[in-house]
Every structure is written in C-alpha cells, then in structure tokens.
Amino acid sequence: MPNTLVKSSAESAFLDLHKKLLERGRPALAELQEIALRRFDSLRFPHSKHEMYTYVNTKELAATSFGLPDDAANVSEDFVSRHIYPGCEHQCLVFVDGTFDRGLSRFEGMRADIAPLSEADRELKNYLSETAANENDVFASLSTAFCGDGIIFKVDDNTQISDTLQVLFVSTGRAAAPVMHAPRLVWQLGKLSEVKVIEKFVGRDGGYFINSVQDWLLAEGAGVSFTQVQADVFDSWHFSKTRVHLNRDAKFYSTNASSGTQLARHHYEVWLKEKGSELKLNGISVLDGKEQVHNFVRIHHAAPQCVSRQHFKNIVNGAARSSFDGTVIVNREAQLTTSDQLVNNLMLSDNCHTNNKPNLMILADDVKCTHGVTVGQIDEDQWFYLQTRGLSAKAAKELLTRSFAQSIIQTIEFPAVVEELSGSLLQKLEATDA
Amino acid sequence: MLEIKNLHARVDGNEILEGISLTVKAGEIHAVMGPNGSGKSTLAKILSGHPSYEVADGQILFEKNNLLEMDAEERSLSGIFMGFQYPVEVPGVNNAEFLRMAFNARRVRDGEEEIDPLDFDELLSEKMKMLKMENKYKERNLNDGFSGGEKKKNEILQMAILKPKLAILDETDSGLDIDALRTVAEGVNSLRNEKNALILITHYQRLLDYIKPDFVHVLHKGKIVKSGDKALAIELESQGYDWVTTEN
Ligand SMILES: Nc1ncnc2c1ncn2[C@@H]1O[C@H](COP(=O)(O)OP(=O)(O)OP(=O)(O)O)[C@@H](O)[C@H]1O
Ligand SMILES: [Mg+2]
C-alpha cells in the first residue's frame, strides 16, 4: 500500500486492525473488503474543513483505538423481544454486533428471499464493487472494509408484503476495547413490490461504534415505507449510510427518529433515476445533554417529473448539537422536478447548537424547488396563552414541544413507534426540568 | 370580587397604565371602552398574568387574594379567564384535546378526578351546539387557520367549558358577523349568574345591546377618565371619544 509512512496514526490503526481481522481467516466478502479498504486508504478521515463533515467533529472517533469483536456475543431472547414492536413478532431480522443472527430472527411465512450478501449474483456483485470503489464517505468505506457478511432482502415482482418487517440492531457494547459493528443490508425490490420496514438501533451497554450501510434498489413501481428509530445508548457512535436508487414510479417514504448519541450521523444518498419516482425523507431528533445528531443528504434528480420532499425537525436542549447539510441536485434532463427541503429547529436552551445548510443545484429550467430553515424558541405568546387556560408552565412547554414534533411523528404509520417516541420525548423534557 | 387600586404598569420601560382603580363585584358587568392604544388590552393581560408587564405601583385583589403574586396558571385555576383580542394559533395541538386538558387541570386542582373522555366529548358537543359551532372544530388544531370570527367563537367555547368566576373579554365582538355576535352574546349571557362577573372590552355599543353592562368606563392614556352607566356608551357611540378625553 502506498504512503504507509506518512499516514496518520488514525488510518494506520484501522489498517492494522484489518490485518488482524484477516488473521482470523478469509472473510466471506474478502474481495469487496479489499476494494473498500483501498478506498478508505485514499479517502482518509476528514480534516476539520472537509465539505462532508463541516459540522461533525470526527477527530475523537477516528483517534479511538478499536478492537475486533469477540466471537459470539450473547443476547437473550428476552432482551430482543423487549425491542420488537407489537405486530412484528413473526417478522424480524436481528443483527447482533453487526452480524445477522439467524437464531434470534423470525421469518415465518415471509414472502421474501433472505440470502447472505456473499451469495449475491454477478450483477449485484458488480454493483457492490463499483459502489465500494467510488464511495465518497470514508466511514461507509470503513464499514464495508470490516463487514463480515451482510444480508440481501429480495422481494419478487408484484409481491406486496402487508405485514411490517422489523430489523433490530443490537450492540452489546463494553468489550475490552471499543468495537465497530458494520451491519450491511441490500434491499432488492421487484417491480410493483411493496414493503414496510421498521429499523431500530439499540445498545445493551455503551462503548461501541455502529456503522451501518444499506442499499435500497427499487424496481419500477416498487414502494417502501421505511421507519428508523435510533435509540442507542449515549456513549456510543452511530453512523449510517443509506443509498437509495429509484426507478420509474418507485416510491420511497422514510422517517428517521433519532435520540442521538455522543456522535450520530446519518448520510442519505438518493438517486431519482427514472420518471415519476418519489422520495419522502423525514427526520426528527430529540436531543439533550451532549447528544448530537447530524444529517447529511444528497439527492440527485436525474429524470423528469420526479418528486423529493424533505422535512427535518430538531428539538435541541442542554448542550446538544444538531446539523443538517443537504443538497438537491437537479440535472439538466430532470424537467418538471418538484423538490422541497425544510428544516425546523426548536432550541430549548442557551447552550444548544444547530447548523443548517440546505442547498439547491439546479441545471434544468422548468422545476419547482424550495428550501428553508427555521431556528426558533418556544413561542412566548403560545406559551402564555396555554397557561392562561390553566396549564402549568411545564405542561404548556411540553405540549408545545410535542406539537412541534407532531408533523413528523404523524408521518409514522406504526402506533407503537409513535407512542414510544412521544414517551421518550416527554422523558427527555422532564429530565431537563429537574 | 376584583379590586384594582391605583395600578401603574410598564412594558419595556414605557408607562402604559397610570393609576387605574376599579372594583368589580360578583354579578356585575363592566364595560371598558376607549380609543386605540389607551391601555385596555394591557389591563386585560395584566389581570391574566402576562409576564412582560411590570407593575410599578398599585394593588390587585381577587377574592381578597393578592393577584400579582399568582402566575397565569394559578389565576386561571382560581377562576380568571381572558378572552384574547388576538387569540394565538397553536398548530399541532388538537382543539378538543386541549380543552380537555384545560378542563382537567381545573378538576385536579379542585381535588376531583379527571373527566372520562366520552363524558367530556358530550359536554363539548353541548357547548359547541350552543355556540353554533360545527363538530369539525374538535378535530382542528387550536385556532390554527381559524378565521378571525372563528377564533373569537373558540374563545367563548373555552370560557363555556372553564366556567370562570371573572371573565375579561377583550374585543370579543370585533370580527364577528351579526349572527355570530348574537349567538356569542347569548352564549355569554347563558353563563351568567349572580356569582360571576364580566369585564367587556369593546369599541361598539352594539355588543352592549345584547350584554347589558351595569357600568361603563372610558380608558384614556392609561387612566379611567369617565365612568357611568349604559347611557355613557350610547353617548360615546354618537359623539366619539373627544368630549370625554378633552375634558381632562
Ligand atoms: N412592548 C411594548 N412596548 C412599547 N409599547 C407598548 C408595548 N406593548 C404595548 N405598548 C403600547 O401600549 C399602549 C396600549 O396598548 P393596548 O394594547 O393596551 O391598547 P388598547 O387600548 O387595547 O388598544 P386597541 O383598542 O387598539 O386594542 C399602546 O400605545 C401600545 O403601543
Ligand atoms: Mg386592545
């Protein structure tokens, strides 16, 4: 490998760690790992002015000395079932420390194929190699370089799965040294197929780095409803990269609810590749203490008559931080594009921070695109109004905060998730009043 | 019931009320009139506990308690209600749910149990019917996107649910059409009894045809410059404020 001598210790630590990984035996995705590792080596960890990490300080994370995971982490069925939403008991995929756990998963009567990523067909393998070689995000490269094996979730043409599927990512945490988990999922959706997916990320103990990558490949007319709940423990790192490819008339509706960690970052990269495809990307973060959530979004409108709608809301308290860095790129051929991008921040304390950079790059001339950001506090007039009707200052503030979150929460179609979110939101507000 | 003595109040350093004294007894209706900017809404907001106003001098007793020591929540719970001149829109807060929360806050304070949601819905329906409000306003968010008149009706709906001892209605008539004004006035009248009292802030004698005041006061530059009975309102309607304000 070139430049080994001038490399900073952060990168070489991971390269050394990878050598140790190889000593354990040839990984199932050896070739892909090799490509990703080379890409990681050329991308390098971001310096402080890196354009993809403007608001995210990764120095401490990169400098952390990570170890390899122990062979078999043990997670009880009881722990798992506590985190499975009602209605998903019979359809859930469980990952433990980044690795798919067949024993803990349930797929009774599932109308989809689930296969290891190492068994991908040639076409998918080519896609994965090419993506890894051209990866733009160094942490996604790192994830692929360390990914043991992933899962392909394949739904045939014309198959609509009405039951909701849950994916649970459990990190056991607290090993001798911090460990990075690199779960990998590829979702292949056939023509006119439909799925509803809830993903939840939880930790049993802290000190881990969950660094996931997923690819959503939607054929003509496919539809996805995707809800993500990030509920890791505070002293963990959570990075995710979600790549979405939408073919003709495909629809991808996504809502992410994050409670933050010491550093959480979601990277979305979406291609609206063919006419009539539609994206909804929503996010809500409820942050307190020193929690952070950063969203980084790139949306490529490459075909005419596509729609993308983004709405992110952040409730930021304590000394928490949020950021949004989003760009919509409308290619020359993407006439009649409709795109909007809105970020609302509710700042509840003097010490909290938010940075927002919505951006549009429009090369087509006949488009309807908007973007906007608001940063505000609890509205004093609303707050007073509610108190004059007998609500305490605290109850009124809670009500207003919940109502701020409402427009995103109501896009989630699963009552159990909504209930859980409202609960944790209130819990955080209460914690700070004490 | 309410005793205001020599009230002086400031906002952002500007003296707005310059010595107001007013006594309201149970069963009475007081109308407060006066030109724009004379301090009527300021008085109403101070009574309901708005934090932006600084009381520089004077005293307010409500049922013998020092009102100025109570926060907005306490004042509401002890029976004061202000109908806002400009009711605030609160998107994301369901109207019916909010009303139930407010109703329950009062029950809890009185040591009672929270009302059964179905019973509350019935109570709400009854009050809405009285005010000729369609059911769809239950589903709407609090004042969100309501027209000017709808917001005013919604204020009276809140009053009807909360049954205050003292209601201060700040220009509730402005923005209501003729039929709505009559409906609202009938609603307010139906809530009246010898134990509660009403302060009506208005520019128009029209409202006072429906809700008959015992006293009419004219506020000018932060002072009550004239008090009288209903005849005063009629006089003001035909002559304007000049004749009372120039006298002083
Ligand atoms: N924050 C503020 N800073 C300075 N002046 C203020 C402030 N709030 C109110 N005022 C002034 O106080 C005065 C009284 O206002 P108020 O709203 O009480 O009048 P009003 O009698 O209700 O008028 P209207 O009939 O138009 O409703 C006005 O001159 C207004 O401009
Ligand atoms: Mg006024």
Side-chain angles (χ1 to χ4, degrees), chain B residues 1 19 21 23 30 54-55 79 169 179 185 198-199 202:
Chain B
M1 172 178 287
S21 296
T23 302
H30 290 246
E54 181 200 338
V55 173
L169 301 182
D179 293 333
L198 202 54
I199 298 178
T202 181

Side-chain angles (χ1 to χ4, degrees), chain A residues 379-382 384-393 395 399-400 402-404 406, chain B residues 48-50 72-73 76 81-82 84 88-93 98 102 105 143 155 158:
Chain A
D379 184 292
E380 296 284 338
D381 290 334
Q382 293 178 343
F384 174 65
Y385 185 73
L386 299 182
Q387 289 175 69
T388 64
R389 302 314 187 229
L391 270 58
S392 69
L399 188 62
L400 290 173
R402 246 192 305 159
S403 75
F404 173 83
Q406 194 53 32
Chain B
S48 55
H50 198 289
E73 171 203 4
S76 169
F81 177 91
M82 170 171 63
F84 282 61
V88 182
E89 297 196 11
V90 193
V93 172
F98 165 67
N143 294 331
E155 293 290 282
Q158 295 177 31

Side-chain angles (χ1 to χ4, degrees), chain B residues 11-12 14 16 34-42 53 85 171 203:
Chain B
V11 59
D12 297 338
N14 304 301
I16 311 239
N36 294 129
S38 55
K40 303 181 297 296
S41 294
T42 303
Y53 297 88
Q85 181 174 4
E171 295 197 27
H203 286 292

Side-chain angles (χ1 to χ4, degrees), chain B residues 53-122:
Chain B
Y53 297 88
E54 181 200 338
V55 173
D57 199 4
Q59 217 189 5
I60 307 177
L61 296 177
F62 177 67
E63 295 189 313
K64 307 257 167 4
N65 297 313
N66 183 352
L67 195 73
L68 296 173
E69 274 177 3
M70 298 156 74
D71 59 24
E73 171 203 4
E74 270 181 277
R75 296 184 197 196
S76 169
L77 293 178
S78 51
I80 290 182
F81 177 91
M82 170 171 63
F84 282 61
Q85 181 174 4
Y86 305 108
V88 182
E89 297 196 11
V90 193
V93 172
N94 173 271
N95 204 26
E97 237 167 84
F98 165 67
L99 280 163
R100 185 155 59 88
M101 281 177 82
F103 185 80
N104 278 331
R106 202 152 294 210
R107 299 261 290 210
V108 169
R109 132 111 191 197
D110 294 342
E112 290 171 46
E113 263 183 50
E114 292 197 354
I115 189 170
D116 177 86
L118 289 177
D119 291 343
F120 182 76
D121 191 60
E122 211 168 290

Side-chain angles (χ1 to χ4, degrees), chain A residues 10-306:
Chain A
E11 281 86 4
S12 47
F14 277 100
L15 294 174
D16 287 347
L17 191 65
H18 198 266
K19 283 195 193 114
K20 280 193 209 149
L21 180 70
L22 294 181
E23 281 165 19
R24 288 185 169 183
R26 188 180 155 80
L29 297 172
E31 281 166 47
L32 187 62
Q33 280 196 2
E34 183 55 34
I35 298 171
L37 200 66
R38 276 204 301 273
R39 188 63 183 158
F40 163 73
D41 197 18
S42 66
L43 284 170
R44 307 282 186 90
F45 284 122
H47 49 78
S48 60
K49 296 209 169 62
H50 193 288
E51 56 156 16
M52 288 174 76
Y53 287 84
T54 317
Y55 306 122
V56 190
N57 185 349
T58 58
K59 228 183 237 160
E60 210 182 298
L61 169 60
T64 299
S65 130
F66 283 92
L68 292 174
D70 298 335
D71 289 341
N74 241 320
V75 174
S76 67
E77 297 223 6
D78 190 47
F79 182 89
V80 168
S81 57
R82 254 188 286 144
H83 292 284
I84 297 293
Y85 293 105
C88 299
E89 296 89 349
H90 303 296
Q91 292 203 50
C92 55
L93 307 181
V94 180
F95 285 73
V96 176
D97 292 346
T99 307
F100 180 58
D101 190 319
R102 201 164 269 278
L104 289 171
S105 302
R106 302 269 175 275
F107 19 84
E108 295 153 30
M110 180 109 74
R111 291 157 63 217
D113 291 329
I114 298 166
L117 198 56
S118 49
E119 290 171 17
D121 59 21
R122 180 184 299 271
E123 195 188 345
L124 183 56
K125 274 208 168 99
N126 286 342
Y127 164 81
L128 293 169
S129 306
E130 206 174 301
T131 311
N134 295 309
E135 180 59 69
N136 54 12
D137 192 326
V138 63
F139 285 96
S141 290
L142 196 59
S143 172
T144 305
F146 281 84
C147 171
D149 199 352
I151 283 293
I152 308 166
F153 188 93
K154 190 172 175 198
V155 185
D156 286 339
D157 291 352
N158 302 309
T159 303
Q160 291 95 31
I161 303 180
S162 54
D163 291 339
T164 305
L165 167 77
Q166 182 175 349
V167 186
L168 179 67
F169 300 90
V170 181
S171 296
T172 54
R174 215 53 81 199
V179 174
M180 180 176 77
H181 309 312
R184 181 70 188 249
L185 277 156
V186 176
W187 305 83
Q188 279 189 304
L189 293 162
K191 286 181 187 167
L192 295 168
S193 67
E194 276 172 29
V195 286
K196 288 188 233 164
V197 177
I198 309 177
E199 288 186 352
K200 185 174 186 185
F201 295 82
V202 294
R204 200 173 57 183
D205 200 349
Y208 61 87
F209 173 23
I210 180 146
N211 186 11
S212 66
V213 176
Q214 354 197 346
D215 295 79
W216 290 85
L217 311 173
L218 276 69
E220 198 178 311
V224 170
S225 152
F226 183 44
T227 302
Q228 278 181 306
V229 180
Q230 181 271 314
D232 297 279
V233 292
F234 171 74
D235 73 332
S236 64
W237 297 270
H238 178 115
F239 278 45
S240 71
K241 172 137 188 188
T242 308
R243 247 187 307 262
V244 183
H245 293 268
L246 301 176
N247 285 305
R248 196 186 166 103
D249 296 329
K251 289 182 171 45
F252 190 80
Y253 295 168
S254 165
T255 300
N256 176 296
S258 285
S259 61
T261 69
Q262 60 183 337
L263 192 62
R265 178 180 183 265
H266 308 301
H267 178 173
Y268 299 93
E269 208 170 3
V270 183
W271 285 268
L272 297 123
K273 296 206 297 202
E274 289 183 353
K275 206 169 154 179
S277 55
E278 186 186 343
L279 168 75
K280 280 189 200 162
L281 199 57
N282 296 318
I284 174 111
S285 303
V286 184
L287 309 177
D288 188 19
K290 290 188 168 176
E291 289 162 345
Q292 302 195 15
V293 169
H294 304 275
N295 284 296
F296 184 88
V297 181
R298 291 293 177 267
I299 293 171
H300 305 266
H301 277 266
Q305 293 172 33
C306 297

